Amino acid sequence: MNYTFLKLGSFFALLGVVLGAFGAHGLKSYLTVDQLATFDTGIRYQFYHALALILLAILTAPMKNSPWLRNAGWLFTAGIICFSGSIYLLACRIFLGIESWWWLGPITPIGGTLFIIGWGMLFFAAIKQE
């Protein structure tokens, strides 16, 4: 088992619960319905990929610590930070007073691309095991 990915997956899942509760209760008065929906998208993708990291942690033993799995895990981690992190900041930028941070927008699709490549790595790890 890869305990690094288990720790990362558990941390991102825990953070997803905290941010989800904060978004639903703490930000409800400050964000528009559209901004809250955007924030929720970040939470959802963070959770999907936190669970994917936990799955990768479990798969590393039977798949002999595949480099494809390791790469997928690091891509999922970077994707969570780039995609979900930028989504949270974009949704809250007026609230946080960072409206001028124009460069946040292009970070979101970079994170999405990292997720896609990570899933491709998982796919190739499965092919390599056959």
Side-chain angles (χ1 to χ4, degrees), residues 32-69:
T32 67
V33 172
D34 287 342
Q35 290 168 326
L36 285 170
T38 298
F39 195 87
D40 187 57
T41 298
I43 299 290
R44 197 169 50 252
Y45 277 81
Q46 180 171 328
F47 259 105
Y48 296 153
H49 293 87
L51 294 174
L53 283 167
I54 294 167
L55 173 67
L56 290 177
I58 295 166
L59 287 175
T60 54
M63 294 181 80
K64 301 174 183 89
N65 204 18
S66 162
W68 293 96
L69 286 182

Tab-separated table of all heavy atoms in Angstrom, residues 32-69:
chain	number	residue	atom	x	y	z
A	32	THR	N	-23.257	34.409	-4.319
A	32	THR	CA	-24.479	34.235	-5.095
A	32	THR	C	-24.742	32.740	-5.285
A	32	THR	O	-23.869	31.900	-5.013
A	32	THR	CB	-24.354	34.894	-6.482
A	32	THR	OG1	-23.364	34.176	-7.240
A	32	THR	CG2	-23.978	36.366	-6.375
A	33	VAL	N	-25.919	32.425	-5.781
A	33	VAL	CA	-26.262	31.026	-6.056
A	33	VAL	C	-25.274	30.443	-7.069
A	33	VAL	O	-24.808	29.300	-6.914
A	33	VAL	CB	-27.715	30.913	-6.566
A	33	VAL	CG1	-28.031	29.513	-7.044
A	33	VAL	CG2	-28.689	31.342	-5.473
A	34	ASP	N	-24.913	31.212	-8.097
A	34	ASP	CA	-23.950	30.744	-9.106
A	34	ASP	C	-22.567	30.527	-8.493
A	34	ASP	O	-21.889	29.542	-8.817
A	34	ASP	CB	-23.845	31.726	-10.269
A	34	ASP	CG	-25.066	31.686	-11.177
A	34	ASP	OD1	-25.831	30.688	-11.112
A	34	ASP	OD2	-25.256	32.643	-11.949
A	35	GLN	N	-22.149	31.422	-7.632
A	35	GLN	CA	-20.839	31.270	-6.987
A	35	GLN	C	-20.825	30.037	-6.080
A	35	GLN	O	-19.833	29.307	-6.035
A	35	GLN	CB	-20.491	32.531	-6.192
A	35	GLN	CG	-20.177	33.725	-7.063
A	35	GLN	CD	-20.111	35.017	-6.269
A	35	GLN	OE1	-20.841	35.214	-5.293
A	35	GLN	NE2	-19.227	35.911	-6.695
A	36	LEU	N	-21.916	29.813	-5.362
A	36	LEU	CA	-22.003	28.614	-4.511
A	36	LEU	C	-21.993	27.344	-5.354
A	36	LEU	O	-21.376	26.344	-4.966
A	36	LEU	CB	-23.256	28.657	-3.636
A	36	LEU	CG	-23.197	29.610	-2.443
A	36	LEU	CD1	-24.571	29.740	-1.795
A	36	LEU	CD2	-22.159	29.156	-1.427
A	37	ALA	N	-22.643	27.378	-6.514
A	37	ALA	CA	-22.633	26.215	-7.413
A	37	ALA	C	-21.223	25.958	-7.930
A	37	ALA	O	-20.790	24.805	-8.036
A	37	ALA	CB	-23.597	26.431	-8.570
A	38	THR	N	-20.497	27.025	-8.232
A	38	THR	CA	-19.104	26.892	-8.677
A	38	THR	C	-18.256	26.292	-7.564
A	38	THR	O	-17.462	25.374	-7.791
A	38	THR	CB	-18.548	28.269	-9.092
A	38	THR	OG1	-19.321	28.759	-10.184
A	38	THR	CG2	-17.091	28.197	-9.490
A	39	PHE	N	-18.430	26.796	-6.350
A	39	PHE	CA	-17.703	26.282	-5.190
A	39	PHE	C	-17.993	24.790	-5.017
A	39	PHE	O	-17.085	23.991	-4.777
A	39	PHE	CB	-18.134	27.072	-3.945
A	39	PHE	CG	-17.235	26.907	-2.759
A	39	PHE	CD1	-16.126	27.714	-2.600
A	39	PHE	CD2	-17.506	25.954	-1.789
A	39	PHE	CE1	-15.300	27.564	-1.495
A	39	PHE	CE2	-16.689	25.795	-0.683
A	39	PHE	CZ	-15.574	26.609	-0.533
A	40	ASP	N	-19.257	24.405	-5.179
A	40	ASP	CA	-19.673	23.002	-5.056
A	40	ASP	C	-18.997	22.119	-6.111
A	40	ASP	O	-18.670	20.969	-5.840
A	40	ASP	CB	-21.193	22.903	-5.151
A	40	ASP	CG	-21.680	21.499	-4.865
A	40	ASP	OD1	-21.377	20.975	-3.774
A	40	ASP	OD2	-22.354	20.921	-5.739
A	41	THR	N	-18.798	22.660	-7.308
A	41	THR	CA	-18.088	21.903	-8.350
A	41	THR	C	-16.673	21.571	-7.887
A	41	THR	O	-16.196	20.443	-8.073
A	41	THR	CB	-18.050	22.700	-9.668
A	41	THR	OG1	-19.396	22.902	-10.107
A	41	THR	CG2	-17.261	21.982	-10.745
A	42	GLY	N	-16.008	22.537	-7.274
A	42	GLY	CA	-14.667	22.282	-6.735
A	42	GLY	C	-14.685	21.184	-5.685
A	42	GLY	O	-13.815	20.307	-5.675
A	43	ILE	N	-15.680	21.227	-4.794
A	43	ILE	CA	-15.812	20.200	-3.756
A	43	ILE	C	-16.006	18.827	-4.386
A	43	ILE	O	-15.359	17.843	-4.017
A	43	ILE	CB	-17.026	20.504	-2.831
A	43	ILE	CG1	-16.867	21.827	-2.107
A	43	ILE	CG2	-17.282	19.364	-1.855
A	43	ILE	CD1	-15.816	21.871	-1.063
A	44	ARG	N	-16.918	18.751	-5.352
A	44	ARG	CA	-17.242	17.470	-5.990
A	44	ARG	C	-16.005	16.846	-6.642
A	44	ARG	O	-15.707	15.670	-6.426
A	44	ARG	CB	-18.372	17.688	-7.005
A	44	ARG	CG	-19.054	16.437	-7.420
A	44	ARG	CD	-20.333	16.670	-8.222
A	44	ARG	NE	-20.177	17.603	-9.335
A	44	ARG	CZ	-20.685	18.837	-9.359
A	44	ARG	NH1	-21.374	19.305	-8.339
A	44	ARG	NH2	-20.509	19.609	-10.409
A	45	TYR	N	-15.282	17.630	-7.428
A	45	TYR	CA	-14.093	17.093	-8.091
A	45	TYR	C	-12.988	16.761	-7.096
A	45	TYR	O	-12.231	15.810	-7.288
A	45	TYR	CB	-13.611	18.049	-9.186
A	45	TYR	CG	-14.371	17.839	-10.471
A	45	TYR	CD1	-15.624	18.398	-10.657
A	45	TYR	CD2	-13.849	17.044	-11.476
A	45	TYR	CE1	-16.339	18.183	-11.817
A	45	TYR	CE2	-14.557	16.822	-12.643
A	45	TYR	CZ	-15.802	17.399	-12.808
A	45	TYR	OH	-16.507	17.167	-13.957
A	46	GLN	N	-12.893	17.529	-6.033
A	46	GLN	CA	-11.912	17.208	-5.000
A	46	GLN	C	-12.234	15.847	-4.390
A	46	GLN	O	-11.336	15.027	-4.190
A	46	GLN	CB	-11.910	18.289	-3.921
A	46	GLN	CG	-10.891	18.003	-2.819
A	46	GLN	CD	-10.719	19.163	-1.878
A	46	GLN	OE1	-10.848	20.319	-2.269
A	46	GLN	NE2	-10.426	18.856	-0.632
A	47	PHE	N	-13.515	15.601	-4.116
A	47	PHE	CA	-13.902	14.313	-3.538
A	47	PHE	C	-13.654	13.154	-4.494
A	47	PHE	O	-13.137	12.106	-4.086
A	47	PHE	CB	-15.380	14.322	-3.121
A	47	PHE	CG	-15.557	14.512	-1.659
A	47	PHE	CD1	-15.973	15.725	-1.171
A	47	PHE	CD2	-15.283	13.490	-0.768
A	47	PHE	CE1	-16.127	15.927	0.188
A	47	PHE	CE2	-15.435	13.675	0.596
A	47	PHE	CZ	-15.857	14.898	1.076
A	48	TYR	N	-14.031	13.313	-5.755
A	48	TYR	CA	-13.782	12.231	-6.718
A	48	TYR	C	-12.312	11.827	-6.705
A	48	TYR	O	-11.976	10.642	-6.708
A	48	TYR	CB	-14.125	12.667	-8.145
A	48	TYR	CG	-15.553	12.989	-8.442
A	48	TYR	CD1	-15.862	13.874	-9.462
A	48	TYR	CD2	-16.617	12.430	-7.733
A	48	TYR	CE1	-17.173	14.191	-9.781
A	48	TYR	CE2	-17.932	12.748	-8.035
A	48	TYR	CZ	-18.201	13.633	-9.059
A	48	TYR	OH	-19.488	13.949	-9.375
A	49	HIS	N	-11.461	12.831	-6.699
A	49	HIS	CA	-10.036	12.540	-6.831
A	49	HIS	C	-9.380	12.180	-5.503
A	49	HIS	O	-8.377	11.479	-5.485
A	49	HIS	CB	-9.343	13.677	-7.586
A	49	HIS	CG	-9.812	13.703	-9.007
A	49	HIS	ND1	-10.940	14.404	-9.391
A	49	HIS	CD2	-9.378	13.033	-10.103
A	49	HIS	CE1	-11.150	14.186	-10.684
A	49	HIS	NE2	-10.230	13.351	-11.134
A	50	ALA	N	-9.970	12.597	-4.387
A	50	ALA	CA	-9.512	12.101	-3.082
A	50	ALA	C	-9.767	10.600	-2.998
A	50	ALA	O	-8.897	9.826	-2.576
A	50	ALA	CB	-10.222	12.837	-1.949
A	51	LEU	N	-10.958	10.191	-3.436
A	51	LEU	CA	-11.274	8.753	-3.448
A	51	LEU	C	-10.387	7.998	-4.436
A	51	LEU	O	-9.979	6.866	-4.175
A	51	LEU	CB	-12.750	8.535	-3.760
A	51	LEU	CG	-13.720	9.051	-2.693
A	51	LEU	CD1	-15.164	8.928	-3.172
A	51	LEU	CD2	-13.525	8.326	-1.372
A	52	ALA	N	-10.076	8.631	-5.563
A	52	ALA	CA	-9.167	8.002	-6.534
A	52	ALA	C	-7.778	7.814	-5.910
A	52	ALA	O	-7.140	6.777	-6.135
A	52	ALA	CB	-9.070	8.850	-7.800
A	53	LEU	N	-7.318	8.779	-5.128
A	53	LEU	CA	-6.014	8.637	-4.456
A	53	LEU	C	-6.036	7.473	-3.470
A	53	LEU	O	-5.061	6.708	-3.374
A	53	LEU	CB	-5.637	9.933	-3.738
A	53	LEU	CG	-5.126	11.050	-4.625
A	53	LEU	CD1	-5.091	12.370	-3.863
A	53	LEU	CD2	-3.748	10.715	-5.174
A	54	ILE	N	-7.129	7.320	-2.733
A	54	ILE	CA	-7.247	6.199	-1.799
A	54	ILE	C	-7.260	4.878	-2.563
A	54	ILE	O	-6.597	3.908	-2.170
A	54	ILE	CB	-8.491	6.375	-0.902
A	54	ILE	CG1	-8.293	7.599	0.014
A	54	ILE	CG2	-8.774	5.113	-0.092
A	54	ILE	CD1	-9.539	8.075	0.730
A	55	LEU	N	-7.959	4.828	-3.684
A	55	LEU	CA	-7.959	3.634	-4.533
A	55	LEU	C	-6.542	3.318	-5.025
A	55	LEU	O	-6.103	2.162	-4.979
A	55	LEU	CB	-8.894	3.830	-5.725
A	55	LEU	CG	-8.870	2.733	-6.781
A	55	LEU	CD1	-9.429	1.438	-6.222
A	55	LEU	CD2	-9.649	3.169	-8.009
A	56	LEU	N	-5.824	4.335	-5.463
A	56	LEU	CA	-4.445	4.117	-5.923
A	56	LEU	C	-3.570	3.594	-4.798
A	56	LEU	O	-2.705	2.737	-5.027
A	56	LEU	CB	-3.853	5.415	-6.479
A	56	LEU	CG	-4.413	5.914	-7.799
A	56	LEU	CD1	-3.775	7.242	-8.171
A	56	LEU	CD2	-4.189	4.901	-8.901
A	57	ALA	N	-3.768	4.107	-3.601
A	57	ALA	CA	-2.988	3.635	-2.454
A	57	ALA	C	-3.184	2.139	-2.252
A	57	ALA	O	-2.228	1.393	-2.005
A	57	ALA	CB	-3.389	4.394	-1.190
A	58	ILE	N	-4.415	1.693	-2.400
A	58	ILE	CA	-4.735	0.277	-2.216
A	58	ILE	C	-4.195	-0.569	-3.370
A	58	ILE	O	-3.723	-1.680	-3.167
A	58	ILE	CB	-6.261	0.107	-2.062
A	58	ILE	CG1	-6.727	0.787	-0.771
A	58	ILE	CG2	-6.666	-1.357	-2.104
A	58	ILE	CD1	-8.226	0.986	-0.672
A	59	LEU	N	-4.251	-0.031	-4.585
A	59	LEU	CA	-3.834	-0.791	-5.768
A	59	LEU	C	-2.317	-0.950	-5.909
A	59	LEU	O	-1.870	-1.809	-6.658
A	59	LEU	CB	-4.369	-0.120	-7.036
A	59	LEU	CG	-5.852	-0.261	-7.311
A	59	LEU	CD1	-6.235	0.568	-8.532
A	59	LEU	CD2	-6.223	-1.719	-7.513
A	60	THR	N	-1.540	-0.127	-5.218
A	60	THR	CA	-0.088	-0.189	-5.444
A	60	THR	C	0.517	-1.534	-5.055
A	60	THR	O	1.456	-1.978	-5.701
A	60	THR	CB	0.664	0.941	-4.714
A	60	THR	OG1	0.325	0.929	-3.342
A	60	THR	CG2	0.382	2.279	-5.332
A	61	ALA	N	-0.009	-2.198	-4.034
A	61	ALA	CA	0.559	-3.491	-3.648
A	61	ALA	C	0.312	-4.567	-4.705
A	61	ALA	O	1.271	-5.177	-5.197
A	61	ALA	CB	0.043	-3.923	-2.283
A	62	PRO	N	-0.949	-4.816	-5.107
A	62	PRO	CA	-1.150	-5.858	-6.111
A	62	PRO	C	-0.578	-5.502	-7.487
A	62	PRO	O	-0.289	-6.383	-8.290
A	62	PRO	CB	-2.667	-6.034	-6.186
A	62	PRO	CG	-3.255	-4.827	-5.571
A	62	PRO	CD	-2.225	-4.280	-4.625
A	63	MET	N	-0.404	-4.235	-7.743
A	63	MET	CA	0.125	-3.819	-9.051
A	63	MET	C	1.617	-3.496	-8.963
A	63	MET	O	2.169	-2.807	-9.823
A	63	MET	CB	-0.679	-2.640	-9.598
A	63	MET	CG	-2.110	-3.040	-9.924
A	63	MET	SD	-3.110	-1.718	-10.597
A	63	MET	CE	-2.574	-1.705	-12.300
A	64	LYS	N	2.247	-4.006	-7.922
A	64	LYS	CA	3.715	-3.935	-7.759
A	64	LYS	C	4.257	-2.513	-7.877
A	64	LYS	O	5.250	-2.264	-8.538
A	64	LYS	CB	4.381	-4.867	-8.751
A	64	LYS	CG	3.958	-6.302	-8.589
A	64	LYS	CD	4.531	-7.165	-9.691
A	64	LYS	CE	4.037	-8.565	-9.550
A	64	LYS	NZ	2.805	-8.847	-10.229
A	65	ASN	N	3.583	-1.585	-7.211
A	65	ASN	CA	4.030	-0.192	-7.155
A	65	ASN	C	4.305	0.375	-8.548
A	65	ASN	O	5.348	0.972	-8.802
A	65	ASN	CB	5.254	-0.062	-6.239
A	65	ASN	CG	5.384	1.336	-5.688
A	65	ASN	OD1	4.433	2.119	-5.697
A	65	ASN	ND2	6.561	1.660	-5.219
A	66	SER	N	3.381	0.200	-9.426
A	66	SER	CA	3.486	0.629	-10.818
A	66	SER	C	3.824	2.122	-10.938
A	66	SER	O	3.211	2.952	-10.280
A	66	SER	CB	2.152	0.366	-11.521
A	66	SER	OG	2.046	1.109	-12.706
A	67	PRO	N	4.808	2.457	-11.788
A	67	PRO	CA	5.101	3.887	-12.008
A	67	PRO	C	3.914	4.620	-12.635
A	67	PRO	O	3.741	5.814	-12.428
A	67	PRO	CB	6.307	3.873	-12.941
A	67	PRO	CG	6.381	2.506	-13.516
A	67	PRO	CD	5.691	1.591	-12.557
A	68	TRP	N	3.075	3.894	-13.395
A	68	TRP	CA	1.878	4.503	-13.966
A	68	TRP	C	0.936	4.952	-12.848
A	68	TRP	O	0.337	6.020	-12.918
A	68	TRP	CB	1.164	3.521	-14.897
A	68	TRP	CG	1.946	3.189	-16.130
A	68	TRP	CD1	2.765	2.103	-16.316
A	68	TRP	CD2	2.006	3.939	-17.336
A	68	TRP	NE1	3.308	2.129	-17.571
A	68	TRP	CE2	2.866	3.251	-18.219
A	68	TRP	CE3	1.404	5.114	-17.765
A	68	TRP	CZ2	3.142	3.704	-19.500
A	68	TRP	CZ3	1.679	5.568	-19.050
A	68	TRP	CH2	2.542	4.868	-19.898
A	69	LEU	N	0.800	4.110	-11.817
A	69	LEU	CA	-0.059	4.464	-10.681
A	69	LEU	C	0.522	5.644	-9.908
A	69	LEU	O	-0.213	6.545	-9.497
A	69	LEU	CB	-0.229	3.278	-9.729
A	69	LEU	CG	-1.120	2.139	-10.164
A	69	LEU	CD1	-1.196	1.080	-9.076
A	69	LEU	CD2	-2.504	2.632	-10.511
